[in-house]
Amino acid sequence: TLPGVPYQLLPLNTPKQTFGLLAIEPNNLRQLMVPEQQRLLQTFAVLIASALERLHLARSAEEAKLDAEREQLRNSLLAALSHDLRTPLTSLHGYLETLSVKAATLSDADRRRYLEIALAQSRKVGKLSQELFELARLEYGVVKPQKEPFSLSELLQDVFQKFELAAEARNQRLHADIAPGVPPVFADLSMIERVLTNLLDNAIRHTPPGGDIGVRLWRQEDQVMVQVSDSGPGIPQTLRADLFVRPSILSGARRPAGGLGLMIVRRILQ
């Protein structure tokens, strides 16, 4: 107790750290002079310090966990960059190098063919880069859902229109099975559009020419259910467990059949 001060200051100490001071201001200052009261106050201060230490340790453990998850994310994105971009970049470099070295000896038809292949690989690199950037933004929480009510049935029709030409080029049939009475949903419209787009794009790419791709919407209690199906060969049982898992740099795992598109779908729905 400081002279002339109507309260007592007790340090909140642990063997490793000091967390602050506990100020005791009694109605009667003489109560602080009682030995039993002093022992109780000291015990109380020790308990408070111990509780603060546990909170500090828990916070430190949570920060360490977040740091480990961020490091894992960085490793995963590096693995995705290394795996997904290596093949198209190598192909792009090879065809451009051939055009540069053998330009004088190539026929017009070969030059056009090489340029078309190089352009296709360039577009693939751009698409993969965009997907990696989008996945990173989702993982780091940069993108926040902006929820609003909207008709999932109408959104599905809009997404179907984007794929009509791609399906027609492969002689595939798109069909929607929308049950009556499907209510509006409350979600981020652009994110759900991205989910439907990625699922349909994946279905079209993995369904043989002449196949069928369908989307079914129906109400189940207070939820709207969505099911995407196709007549493709399906995903082998051995790949399903790791379909949405990013490969680790150290594991050397190959990219699952779904690729980044399905990873983005899962991350949005989470």
Side-chain angles (χ1 to χ4, degrees):
T1 303
L2 298 176
V5 177
Y7 52 82
Q8 181 179 2
L9 298 177
L10 295 175
L12 300 176
N13 291 332
T14 65
K16 294 183 179 181
Q17 190 171 356
T18 297
F19 291 95
L21 294 172
L22 175 64
I24 307 296
E25 185 176 4
N27 293 329
N28 185 350
L29 189 59
R30 291 183 178 180
Q31 292 177 346
L32 295 179
M33 302 299 105
V34 179
E36 184 179 352
Q37 290 287 348
Q38 284 294 307
R39 287 194 296 271
L40 288 174
L41 290 175
Q42 292 290 344
T43 302
F44 190 48
V46 169
L47 292 175
I48 293 177
S50 298
L52 291 173
E53 184 178 45
R54 286 195 296 271
L55 289 173
H56 175 71
L57 291 174
R59 188 180 298 112
S60 298
E62 183 65 24
E63 290 175 355
K65 180 182 176 182
L66 290 175
D67 289 340
E69 289 176 351
R70 293 189 187 101
E71 183 63 25
Q72 182 181 7
L73 173 60
R74 284 192 290 268
N75 290 340
S76 298
L77 291 176
L78 286 173
L81 280 168
S82 174
H83 183 281
D84 290 335
L85 295 180
R86 183 187 300 117
T87 300
L89 282 175
T90 301
S91 176
L92 176 61
H93 179 269
Y95 280 102
L96 290 177
E97 186 176 42
T98 300
L99 282 171
S100 176
V101 173
K102 300 182 177 180
T105 60
L106 291 174
S107 65
D108 290 342
D110 284 339
R111 278 196 293 269
R112 284 194 299 271
R113 184 168 65 87
Y114 285 8
L115 281 173
E116 288 173 358
I117 294 174
L119 285 172
Q121 294 302 315
S122 176
R123 285 191 290 267
K124 185 175 182 180
V125 169
K127 181 175 182 292
L128 287 171
S129 300
Q130 180 181 359
E131 288 180 339
L132 285 167
F133 179 68
E134 182 177 359
L135 182 60
R137 284 167 55 85
L138 289 168
E139 292 283 4
Y140 277 111
V142 176
V143 180
K144 300 296 183 183
Q146 303 295 323
K147 295 184 179 182
E148 60 180 308
F150 62 90
S151 170
L152 193 56
S153 304
E154 294 179 3
L155 177 61
L156 177 60
Q157 297 298 333
D158 293 340
V159 174
F160 262 32
Q161 290 179 1
K162 294 195 297 185
F163 289 98
E164 285 179 353
L165 292 179
E168 184 178 337
R170 295 172 60 86
N171 195 30
Q172 295 169 334
R173 292 169 294 277
L174 297 175
H175 54 89
D177 179 9
I178 302 175
V182 174
V185 298
F186 186 70
D188 187 300
L189 190 149
S190 62
M191 285 187 174
I192 299 302
E193 181 180 7
R194 182 62 164 161
V195 167
L196 293 174
T197 297
N198 284 13
L199 291 176
L200 281 173
D201 176 71
N202 190 75
I204 288 175
R205 286 188 292 106
H206 293 284
T207 299
D212 293 292
I213 297 106
V215 180
R216 180 186 170 212
L217 299 182
W218 74 98
R219 180 173 186 169
Q220 182 171 304
E221 297 179 352
D222 59 344
Q223 297 179 320
V224 175
M225 310 299 292
V226 182
Q227 181 184 65
V228 179
S229 60
D230 60 63
S231 58
I235 301 169
Q237 189 68 36
T238 55
L239 293 179
R240 294 184 184 181
D242 298 326
L243 187 62
F244 298 98
V245 178
R246 291 182 300 274
S248 167
I249 291 177
L250 300 178
S251 69
R254 298 184 61 187
R255 170 68 58 196
L260 292 172
L262 291 186
M263 292 183 187
I264 291 173
V265 166
R266 186 186 189 188
R267 190 64 188 90
I268 288 176
L269 295 179
Q270 286 176 333

